[in-house]
Amino acid sequence: MIHFVKLAIAATAVLWSSSASAKSSRTQGTTSCASVAAPTVPGAQVLSIGGNEAHNVSVAAVPGLLGSVVTGLNVCNVTVVLTHPGANDTVTVTVWLPLQGWNGRFQATGGGGYATGVGVLALAPAAAAGYAAAETDGGHDSNLESPSSWALTSTGAVNWPLLTDFASRSLQDMAVVGKAVTASYYGTGPRYSYWNGCSTGGRQGLMEAQRYPDDFDGILAASPAINWPSFIVAQQWPQVVMNVEQTFPSQCEFQAFVNASIADCDGLDGVLDGVIADPGECKFDPYKLVGSTILCDGSEVTISWKTADIVRKTLDGPTAPNGSKLWYGLNVGASFSGNSNTTIVNGTTVGDPFPISDTWIQYFLEKDPDYNTSSITYSKFAQLFAQSNAEYGSVIGTDNPDLSAFRAAGGKMITWHGLADQLIFPNGTVNYYERVKREMGGATTVDDFYRLFLAPGVAHCVGGNGPAPTSPFDAVVAWVEQGKAPDTLPAKVVDTSGATVTHDICVYPLVSRYDGKGDPKSASSYSCSTSF
Ligand SMILES: *[C@@H]1O[C@H](CO)[C@@H](O)[C@H](O)[C@H]1NC(C)=O
Ligand SMILES: *[C@@H]1O[C@H](CO)[C@@H](O)[C@H](O)[C@H]1NC(C)=O
Ligand SMILES: *[C@@H]1O[C@H](CO)[C@@H](O)[C@H](O)[C@H]1NC(C)=O
Ligand SMILES: *[C@@H]1O[C@H](CO)[C@@H](O)[C@H](O)[C@H]1NC(C)=O
Ligand SMILES: *[C@@H]1O[C@H](CO)[C@@H](O)[C@H](O)[C@H]1NC(C)=O
Ligand SMILES: *[C@@H]1O[C@H](CO)[C@@H](O)[C@H](O)[C@H]1NC(C)=O
Ligand SMILES: *[C@@H]1O[C@H](CO)[C@@H](O)[C@H](O)[C@H]1NC(C)=O
Ligand SMILES: *[C@@H]1O[C@H](CO)[C@@H](O)[C@H](O)[C@H]1NC(C)=O
Ligand SMILES: *[C@@H]1O[C@H](CO)[C@@H](O)[C@H](O)[C@H]1NC(C)=O
């Protein structure tokens, strides 16, 4: 949850220094900001449009998400409000048009958690890089962790129109509005249009490729929250296990297992760097820690069999009572702090579920905000998993492997996913890519428009011990505009010793293999290979 907590806190720390009176000379724009034309949006009615120039805008940095503070930004800030007749929704699309130095491109930005968009946090860096940029609220508030304000209608039924907006509809509205507003303001439409998102934003990017294949020339769909109805419920599995087994290990205990698994499997790729590069090959046995003693907050704790068993079940992933596998588990080496969080209340350690899965079960499955998720048994869990797919698979599954229309439209798409993602199981992304490959006639066909990159040791969207891609969005742009299909994504991390480690992450299914000589912290000592 690290990512979401930081984002929620930082979103309130956005700084504005915007003065309406300061007039900088507008070098682009054939129309004044205040008179941008209202767009025509299929299936929607535009309720209002307003534009104001915002000068010298600053947006605070969000560690890991927005690397640097954006300052001195001058944009035409256009707000379009629309509704879908019969849906009783009010959707806002915000477009930021750089007053100087527009690069001729449009970039739509994605959301996180339950937020359809992350507002200025995504708009600012895109506009600062010269893009006409857009985001949408999808018709609801920007609470990342809970849909409490919008999931249910006043009569307690699922609010299908707003779920549809979040899942798909408002994304296309944003594409249509963003391009039209850009064209009206500059007098010419964007030469190229792009999608940029991670997590929920990654899911949205894939939704665009699946349902609205003509919207974007290029899509970056990182750590995507696809297979939503499955993986969101699977995120609750570790909590169900802890509740059923009535054992709640501390995060310190879980970390002892993470450390032991890294010690066991770090060297499988021939490099000792604190990263499990090949979690699929790691045969870590949690039970071997039973009886060992670790130090947590100055006290000695002896690892119990039950704790080891909880770790085993978490790594294995959810199963139904009859033993059939429901979804993937946590990748070995990833942190337990997301889905297996626990907290100490009045001296007792209790489960602290990941809010997005907890509230999904309460609001969308049980339709009861007070539903007590601690009471979920193994058989109830299997029921919830099936229900989630039956009710919501076609709405927000975002797992249609037929990308032929996107390919035919000339679209290019990159997905990368950290192999130490603590929230979204990377195997769900691999599963989807493999299904696309089967559906579309093999790797050669798919590689000419859709490429997957797996980043060892990288956590959800940001963080972790492994080098993370430094500029995957630019790789999409280079692919679209210069035909440079990326074989590798340059990646970087500063390790615990303070040294900079670089890698070139190889296109899946290739892996980045150490040449056996040279600096293991340097990308130049590795080559792409079929195995380690
Ligand atoms: C785990 O739970 C604690 C206590 O509620 C909370 O402070 C912390 O932020 C959570 N950790 C993560 C990674 O979400
Ligand atoms: C952009 O316009 C919206 C709607 O008027 C306003 O709420 C927001 O503060 C504006 N942003 C800036 C940076 O001026
Ligand atoms: C722009 O804003 C910064 C603070 O963010 C301020 O220091 C600076 O004086 C402002 N510049 C102008 C031209 O208003
Ligand atoms: C429309 O939505 C508003 C809240 O946005 C709600 O108060 C109202 O009851 C809804 N109307 C209908 C007919 O559902
Ligand atoms: C796990 O390893 C980290 C980094 O070496 C260390 O700081 C931490 O104390 C270890 N935790 C446990 C429980 O062994
Ligand atoms: C998950 O994907 C990895 C490739 O990253 C593979 O090695 C592993 O076998 C997969 N695990 C499962 C359970 O499918
Ligand atoms: C096992 O249970 C799951 C979930 O309840 C069900 O989908 C599956 O069909 C069952 N498999 C068998 C072999 O009974
Ligand atoms: C913790 O203990 C205090 C004092 O006994 C009590 O008032 C409070 O309700 C307890 N909190 C929880 C969450 O059980
Ligand atoms: C929720 O369920 C658990 C397990 O059945 C129970 O111990 C707990 O008291 C319940 N909490 C509430 C608020 O009912």
Side-chain angles (χ1 to χ4, degrees), residues 278 280 325 328 419 427 430 454 508:
D278 194 357
K325 233 174 146 20
Y328 304 100
L419 286 175
N427 279 89
V430 174
L454 300 175
Y508 174 86

Side-chain angles (χ1 to χ4, degrees), residues 101 172 182 249 290 347 352 456 494:
Q172 188 179 42
T182 301
V290 175
D352 190 357
V494 175

Side-chain angles (χ1 to χ4, degrees), residues 212-230:
Y212 314 114
D214 299 317
D215 280 356
F216 297 105
D217 301 297
I219 293 176
L220 176 65
S223 314
I226 53 170
N227 314 297
W228 177 281
S230 297

Side-chain angles (χ1 to χ4, degrees), residues 16 18 50 52-54 57 75 77-79 94 96 120:
W16 290 113
S18 139
N52 63 281
E53 287 191 9
V57 173
V75 293
N77 167 33
V78 176
T79 304
T94 304
W96 277 15
V120 300

Side-chain angles (χ1 to χ4, degrees), residues 319-326 378-379 381-383 385-386:
T319 50
N322 66 12
S324 79
K325 233 174 146 20
L326 297 174
Y378 290 144
S379 60
F381 180 87
Q383 265 170 38
F385 187 88

Side-chain angles (χ1 to χ4, degrees), residues 251-260 294-296 496:
Q251 287 306 303
C252 171
E253 288 176 83
F254 282 131
Q255 195 57 43
F257 287 87
V258 174
N259 288 4
I294 60 167
L295 205 57
C296 292
T496 46

